[in-house]
Amino acid sequence: KAGVTQTPRYLIKTRGQQVTLSCSPISGHRSVSWYQQTPGQGLQFLFEYFSETQRNKGNFPGRFSGRQFSNSRSEMNVSTLELGDSALYLCASRISGGLGGELFFGEGSRLTVL
Amino acid sequence: ELKVEQNPLFLSMQEGKNYTIYCNYSTTSDRLYWYRQDPGKSLESLFVLLSNGAVKQEGRLMASLDTKARLSTLHITAAVHDLSATYFCAVDEGAQKLVFGQGTRLTINP
């Protein structure tokens, strides 16, 4: 059974550009979450989607956005990139929208902003 | 606002020894997760603890949850080099959001 797949795995952008990251959840999983990992701030919640609806959003500026498609695949977008956006972006999926389900993480997309 | 604190943040130990990583959190929750992360890699799920008093074991690792004390522990028994990694606890804040601890970087020396 395939795990959570994220693309691209590595990318380099310059300040002011925008970036789109993609996540394919485990087959049958309908909830997709995104997290940002940096050495300084650790792991921080970005947002969560279930059945194409954003149900929760973390404390990030509006430059960070996301969406989920009918096949549960998700994308996140960061516009007007800043140096501080350099991070590992992790996508995670769980089978249902209920509480307590195990969260499975992808390998991440490592973004470097120059 | 939920805060999750792990200690120690760095741990260097000898093979064969036992040690415990602590995870304290600030508000009520009865759902806690432990993850392992190797350098440059993603998070690997180790344990899901869903109730007070939950105890789970896998190999040399054992995790427990005390919701009244707002404390979870990850106990390592007879450590081996392969367990060297960074370990994170994460508390389910509700609304599908996990709040992570800072991580404990564990180094096991031969």
Side-chain angles (χ1 to χ4, degrees), chain B residues 9 28 32-33 39 55 61 64 76 88 90 97 102:
Chain B
L9 299 184
T28 302
L32 190 139
Y33 307 80
V55 177
L61 301 177
S64 66
I76 303 151
F88 292 93
K97 174 184 175 182
Q102 312 96 307

Side-chain angles (χ1 to χ4, degrees), chain A:
Chain A
K1 191 174 184 180
V4 179
T5 304
Q6 292 187 243
T7 57
R9 292 290 312 281
Y10 303 91
L11 65 167
I12 300 173
K13 295 285 187 179
T14 57
R15 281 181 297 175
Q17 288 187 310
Q18 73 165 12
V19 66
T20 298
L21 309 178
S22 180
C23 172
S24 293
I26 292 172
S27 178
H29 287 196
R30 296 172 61 194
S31 170
V32 174
S33 305
W34 289 88
Y35 288 81
Q36 181 197 63
Q37 186 177 27
T38 60
Q41 299 299 316
L43 281 149
Q44 293 186 288
F45 173 78
L46 281 158
F47 22 65
E48 188 266 353
Y49 290 88
F50 180 79
S51 292
E52 302 177 66
T53 300
Q54 184 184 90
R55 297 195 296 181
N56 198 1
K57 188 178 193 302
N59 189 24
F60 280 83
R63 300 185 296 108
F64 291 80
S65 63
R67 60 179 175 168
Q68 186 181 34
F69 302 95
S70 59
N71 61 358
S72 295
R73 191 176 69 86
S74 178
E75 289 181 348
M76 67 163 284
N77 183 274
V78 188
S79 62
T80 319
L81 284 166
E82 300 177 359
L83 295 179
D85 297 334
S86 294
L88 179 65
Y89 290 89
L90 292 165
C91 170
S93 73
R94 59 175 21 147
I95 195 165
S96 72
L99 299 175
E102 189 171 2
L103 206 58
F104 296 89
F105 283 83
E107 292 292 322
S109 293
R110 187 168 296 280
L111 170 65
T112 302
V113 182
L114 303 176

Side-chain angles (χ1 to χ4, degrees), chain B residues 2 15 17 22 81 100:
Chain B
L2 172 61
E15 279 192 328
K17 300 292 188 182
Y22 297 89
H81 179 69
F100 283 81

Side-chain angles (χ1 to χ4, degrees), chain B residues 19-67:
Chain B
Y19 211 83
T20 301
I21 299 171
Y22 297 89
C23 174
N24 292 273
Y25 54 99
S26 60
T27 63
T28 302
S29 176
D30 57 3
R31 297 180 299 279
L32 190 139
Y33 307 80
W34 283 95
Y35 290 91
R36 167 181 173 151
Q37 186 176 41
D38 293 296
K41 301 291 188 181
S42 186
L43 297 171
E44 174 190 354
S45 178
L46 294 175
F47 300 108
V48 179
L49 303 170
L50 298 178
S51 62
N52 184 42
V55 177
K56 291 196 174 180
Q57 182 166 4
E58 180 72 33
R60 301 175 188 274
L61 301 177
M62 183 174 71
S64 66
L65 177 62
D66 181 344
T67 59

